[in-house]
Amino acid sequence: MAENRKSADGKISKRELKKQMSRRAAFLFLLFIFAFVALFVRLWDIIQTDGESFRQKVLSQAIQREGDSYIESKRGEIMDRNGIVLAGTRRVYKLIFDAKLIHSLSDADKKNKTLTLLAEHNVRTQAELEKILQEKKEYNYIVLEQEMSYQDFKEIKEAIDSYQVSGLFYEEHNKREYPYPVLAPELIGFVKGDNTGEGGIEEYYNDMLIGETGRKYGILNSKSIAADREVAAVDGYQIMLNIDYSIQKYITDAMNDYLKEHHPKSVTIIVADPRSMEILGLKSYPGFSLDSPYEIEDLERPDDVEMVEKSIVEIITQRKKKILADRTVEFEAEKRRLEEDKKAKEEAAQTAGTPLSAEEKAKLEKALQELEAKRPKLEDVSDGEVIDEQERASIRQNLLLQNRWKNIALTNGYEPGSIFKAITYAIGCEENKIAPDNRYYCSGGLQRANYFINCHKLSGHGYQTAEQGLTNSCNVVFMELGANIGRDLFYEYQRKFGFGSLTGVDLAGETSQRKNIYAKKDLNEVQLATSSFGQGFNVTPIQMITAFSALINGGYLYEPHIVQKVFDTDGNLFEVKDRTLIRQVISEQSSVKIRHALRSVVDEGTGKTAKIAGYEIGGKTATSEKQPRGNGKYTVSFMGFAPVENPEVITLVIVDEPEGAYQDSRIPALIFRNCMEKIMPYLHIFKAEATEAEK
Ligand SMILES: [Zn+2]
């Protein structure tokens, strides 16, 4: 009875379990033998009837598995605001020749078919292929073409896919292409060998652009024939920028015009819509080409080399310090051991009642002294212990490249100089620190604590209103105004305008310059005075244009952004990047006042060079002597916008270390004018009045 098999608590007895298991094992064994025989018969059948095609497939898979069995996703395009492709992806084909297989073919027709196909498509001549066959008869992975276009490869692909030819197979790859490789390299970025973005949009939006890799793998299908299975790749999203190809071209041309005859250290131009902080154009010099980012002709510019060498010394010192720390640990352990030894001997002698002799004491003391003389020192660690020539050269090259690829509009801290006076002026307006009847007297400078701080006009500007002070770019007026505003308010506004913070721009590598603006507690009389006219602290170009836009757009600080829209794999709109208000910094009324004051700077003040007949333009110049002062190195810049009443475009031009006699803020004002003469008509910003010539 079935019940008998179970014990009282309903469980199967051990003996019965053993019996069942051995029965099962026997059954499984028989099944296994049967399956094995069936498989063997089937394999024999395949080898007999379908040998070559089977062999080809298995081989092809084995090779693919050895190499890359993943299917690359297509990286999404990057377009300008009008759909012009700035970064695209093209499918290319790697054509591989299997000499070993062709050799093994018994059918001469099959071999000839392959060779003829290749010769017809100008891959190789028949003779060349015969030579390869002779010389590489043992090879089954000979790359004939690395990057065939679809156009050139189409017919070969069809022949391979339909098994019309033997001994040929291919791999598909996606190749990133930049139709305008020098137009905006640091803005676009590029793609490294592992398909990740380096710099710019390619890095910042890598996750969206990259898509998902697919997979190809072999299985045995129902007829036990090897077949390919595919998990398709998902293509990356497409990104549409706020950048306008034409504006980018205009600023590139204006920059190149200047560079034809001049050799500054760097130039930066940013064009934005101040109503939203959409970045319309962004360009810096020196650049590189997206076609060959690793091969840069003038990579070893003296200043860059000097900076990189300093970094290498820093790296070496850090490594040496680490070695020193390890050695010091060992040293201290040895020292402790000697001290304990000495102590133990003294105690033992004490206990025994026979104190150590003077000689023995001296010996123990000497051992300690000798050890102390060997205390590890940093200078005893040699360069060779921490770095070899090869590594040094590789670090050097890498740092030089990184330095060139970075986007200086986001990373380079510079003293804003007199352009910052517009901000101090706005704070004064907003906080009612400027009365209409305010008069400031400039005698050529001002005493602050122990320093006499000069105005750029050493003979003095005499009596001026705050607005005249801005037009004349008088330092004294702004030192006085800064003092009226006071340390707390000044610092508060500096932070409100975004200085010392990341702007949040959607590009890789931005720096905040946080440590380069004075902390409130350090903003003493002298620092407050110099900060008020834009010296003594650093900003980045992107911070400066973002803050300045808030000055003129009614007081609204927006987050600068490069990307406008994102489209998904199927081309559907996925995301729209609207303007993002960070905060309102000043009132509409103060903004109106500052716009009018900045117009007089261009109409009758230091910014006259930027004037374009018929247009209403506001702007501000800046010339700042670089640290350390007295070396004759300057940064000159110009910030301008139009139209004055309702600004639609703002442009910042910075020239770092222009040569010799040209250290003049008229240089960037001139570049600004060259840009704006093209940009304003392009943006349908019209002249407010007809010029003399037009009348
Ligand atoms: Zn002055």
Side-chain angles (χ1 to χ4, degrees):
M1 280 165 68
E3 282 74 26
N4 291 346
R5 289 184 187 170
K6 289 185 180 171
S7 60
D9 58 359
K11 283 182 181 160
I12 298 169
S13 73
K14 274 187 182 170
R15 211 172 58 127
E16 185 57 31
L17 199 64
K18 261 191 181 169
K19 232 180 183 176
Q20 279 189 18
M21 278 171 70
S22 59
R23 241 180 266 144
R24 256 177 225 163
F27 176 71
L28 280 175
F29 180 71
L30 275 175
L31 197 70
F32 177 74
I33 292 288
F34 178 76
F36 185 78
V37 169
L39 190 67
F40 184 78
V41 169
R42 179 64 191 140
L43 261 176
W44 184 252
D45 182 43
I46 289 166
I47 290 163
Q48 289 303 303
T49 59
D50 208 2
E52 198 202 310
S53 126
F54 177 74
R55 189 179 129 76
Q56 198 174 8
K57 280 181 179 176
V58 168
L59 245 180
S60 136
Q61 276 171 21
I63 288 157
Q64 278 182 358
R65 243 171 256 123
E66 259 171 48
D68 191 2
S69 66
Y70 292 98
I71 306 165
E72 290 175 11
S73 56
K74 191 178 174 196
R75 199 174 173 89
E77 285 179 344
I78 301 173
M79 298 167 277
D80 93 327
R81 67 187 299 128
N82 300 309
I84 295 174
V85 175
L86 303 176
T89 299
R90 190 164 61 98
R91 178 140 299 192
V92 293
Y93 297 85
K94 186 178 190 176
L95 179 60
I96 301 139
F97 187 56
D98 185 343
K100 199 173 173 183
L101 179 82
I102 293 201
H103 257 288
S104 73
L105 291 175
S106 48
D107 189 343
D109 279 355
K110 279 192 176 177
K111 175 182 146 186
N112 285 336
K113 213 170 176 186
T114 303
L115 302 197
T116 311
L117 180 78
L118 291 173
E120 271 174 2
H121 288 85
N122 300 318
V123 176
R124 295 283 192 288
T125 63
Q126 290 264 9
E128 284 167 343
L129 291 164
E130 291 289 359
K131 195 168 173 239
I132 292 172
L133 275 175
Q134 277 312 310
E135 287 171 0
K136 298 190 170 174
K137 60 178 79 167
E138 288 304 314
Y139 293 84
N140 52 23
Y141 194 91
I142 302 163
V143 178
L144 292 181
E145 293 283 350
Q146 278 287 359
E147 289 177 1
M148 286 188 94
S149 66
Y150 181 73
Q151 192 93 11
D152 295 338
F153 188 64
K154 194 166 165 264
E155 285 167 29
I156 300 177
K157 183 175 185 294
E158 277 166 11
I160 296 173
D161 288 347
S162 58
Y163 299 104
Q164 286 169 28
V165 287
S166 310
L168 276 185
F169 59 102
Y170 61 87
E171 290 167 6
E172 290 175 324
H173 293 285
N174 291 319
K175 187 174 170 10
R176 195 62 158 166
E177 287 189 325
Y178 302 98
Y180 312 100
V182 295
L183 187 73
E186 63 286 314
L187 176 84
I188 303 291
F190 59 95
V191 177
K192 293 184 290 188
D194 61 356
N195 199 25
T196 58
E198 169 76 41
I201 295 292
E202 293 277 32
E203 181 175 333
Y204 195 89
Y205 286 97
N206 187 61
D207 290 349
M208 284 195 170
L209 289 164
I210 198 166
E212 279 172 40
T213 308
R215 236 187 94 210
K216 199 181 232 174
Y217 53 95
I219 57 154
L220 286 180
N221 69 14
S222 55
K223 289 177 186 165
S224 300
I225 290 183
D228 283 339
R229 279 286 179 277
E230 252 185 51
V231 177
V234 181
D235 292 344
Y237 285 16
Q238 295 175 65
I239 285 178
M240 181 175 265
L241 307 180
N242 284 313
I243 300 292
D244 186 304
Y245 169 85
S246 298
I247 291 176
Q248 188 70 20
K249 181 91 173 48
Y250 297 147
I251 64 177
T252 302
D253 291 346
M255 187 183 280
N256 288 342
D257 269 355
Y258 168 69
L259 291 170
K260 259 182 222 159
E261 297 187 10
H262 304 279
H263 305 93
K265 185 177 176 190
S266 72
V267 184
T268 307
I269 304 179
I270 310 177
V271 184
D273 182 338
R275 297 166 296 185
S276 58
M277 273 317 283
E278 290 174 12
I279 306 292
L280 305 173
L282 188 153
K283 177 87 181 175
S284 60
Y285 161 85
F288 60 98
S289 170
L290 293 176
D291 279 348
S292 53
Y294 293 89
E295 291 145 35
I296 300 172
E297 211 171 282
D298 61 340
L299 186 65
E300 309 226 348
R301 306 198 325 160
D303 281 359
D304 296 341
V305 169
E306 191 183 325
M307 186 192 71
V308 162
E309 290 297 345
K310 269 186 199 156
S311 303
I312 294 175
V313 168
E314 186 57 35
I315 291 168
I316 290 174
T317 306
Q318 286 308 319
R319 289 184 182 183
K320 283 182 176 177
K321 279 184 180 163
K322 195 173 174 301
I323 288 188
L324 179 67
D326 293 345
R327 286 186 188 170
T328 304
V329 169
E330 280 172 34
F331 170 85
E332 293 295 350
E334 176 66 9
K335 191 178 168 186
R336 256 196 319 279
R337 200 186 59 74
L338 283 183
E339 280 168 348
E340 279 161 13
D341 181 47
K342 181 171 170 245
K343 201 174 161 198
K345 279 183 179 153
E346 284 168 350
E347 279 172 5
Q350 197 75 32
T351 316
T354 51
L356 293 177
S357 68
E359 197 186 340
E360 280 170 319
K361 269 187 182 169
K363 197 178 154 195
L364 289 169
E365 201 53 50
K366 196 178 167 214
L368 266 169
Q369 279 166 4
E370 276 171 0
L371 182 71
E372 190 58 44
K374 287 187 218 152
R375 177 179 279 279
K377 289 189 262 319
L378 195 64
E379 55 265 36
D380 293 338
V381 190
S382 72
D383 282 13
E385 285 177 74
V386 295
I387 197 166
D388 63 24
E389 280 313 307
Q390 202 184 344
E391 192 193 1
R392 190 189 188 118
S394 133
I395 291 176
R396 183 178 185 275
Q397 181 73 5
N398 208 16
L399 289 174
L400 282 168
L401 285 171
Q402 293 287 347
N403 176 59
R404 183 60 68 88
W405 295 336
K406 75 180 181 192
N407 194 332
I408 61 176
L410 276 61
T411 56
N412 260 27
Y414 76 105
E415 280 183 306
S418 300
I419 290 178
F420 195 85
K421 286 173 183 160
I423 296 200
T424 306
Y425 182 87
I427 305 169
C429 292
E430 187 68 16
E431 294 293 328
N432 291 318
K433 302 293 179 187
I434 308 166
D437 59 345
N438 258 151
R439 286 289 185 278
Y440 304 86
Y441 183 75
C442 169
S443 65
L446 203 62
Q447 189 72 32
R448 284 287 182 256
N450 295 325
Y451 298 89
F452 185 79
I453 305 170
N454 288 330
C455 181
H456 67 90
K457 189 177 182 185
L458 296 176
S459 59
H461 285 101
Y463 280 104
Q464 303 157 95
T465 62
E467 185 171 334
Q468 285 165 334
L470 189 69
T471 311
N472 298 328
S473 203
C474 173
N475 289 351
V476 171
V477 169
F478 285 90
M479 287 192 263
E480 298 273 23
L481 189 52
N484 288 351
I485 292 164
R487 167 169 94 172
D488 291 1
L489 265 184
F490 185 85
Y491 177 79
E492 199 181 295
Y493 272 95
Q494 226 180 5
R495 299 308 312 274
K496 266 193 189 172
F497 273 106
F499 298 110
S501 306
L502 296 172
T503 62
V505 66
D506 47 349
L507 282 176
E510 189 187 7
T511 63
S512 71
Q513 303 296 321
R514 183 75 181 91
K515 289 179 184 159
N516 287 318
I517 72 165
Y518 288 113
K520 189 154 61 173
K521 65 178 172 49
D522 298 328
L523 208 52
N524 298 324
E525 203 183 352
V526 175
Q527 286 76 18
L528 179 60
T530 57
S531 293
S532 299
F533 60 84
Q535 274 187 19
F537 66 99
N538 279 16
V539 302
T540 61
I542 193 78
Q543 281 175 343
M544 199 59 218
I545 195 170
T546 301
F548 209 94
S549 292
L551 277 190
I552 59 160
N553 71 5
Y556 305 94
L557 189 75
Y558 292 109
E559 190 176 271
H561 56 293
I562 311 284
V563 168
Q564 185 186 83
K565 287 174 185 150
V566 179
F567 298 92
D568 70 12
T569 309
D570 302 321
N572 301 315
L573 189 60
F574 173 75
E575 195 179 353
V576 177
K577 306 260 178 187
D578 286 326
R579 70 176 182 186
T580 307
L581 178 67
I582 300 170
R583 64 184 80 88
Q584 185 168 8
V585 188
I586 55 168
S587 64
E588 300 268 359
Q589 297 89 315
S590 297
S591 185
V592 170
K593 279 185 204 161
I594 188 78
R595 286 204 298 268
H596 289 168
L598 289 166
R599 181 182 180 169
S600 351
V601 174
V602 173
D603 283 349
E604 58 217 52
T606 49
K608 273 185 209 160
T609 313
K611 190 154 177 56
I612 301 171
Y615 283 103
E616 291 181 336
I617 293 173
K620 184 76 194 80
T621 56
T623 306
S624 37
E625 190 179 9
K626 290 177 75 172
Q627 304 266 22
R629 315 247 193 248
N631 284 356
K633 290 182 175 173
Y634 291 83
T635 302
V636 290
S637 52
F638 186 85
M639 180 92 73
F641 58 94
V644 169
E645 290 309 327
N646 183 22
E648 292 173 30
V649 62
I650 180 167
T651 298
L652 170 62
V653 179
I654 303 170
V655 181
D656 191 19
E657 297 184 21
E659 321 118 292
Y662 297 97
Q663 293 169 348
D664 187 314
S665 61
R666 277 174 296 183
I667 299 164
L670 196 62
I671 299 174
F672 168 87
R673 195 172 79 189
N674 290 341
C675 294
M676 290 294 263
E677 273 174 344
K678 301 245 177 64
I679 293 172
M680 288 191 296
Y682 176 76
L683 291 177
H684 305 294
I685 298 171
F686 301 109
K687 291 181 182 178
E689 56 200 58
T691 59
E692 284 307 312
E694 286 161 348
K695 279 176 192 166

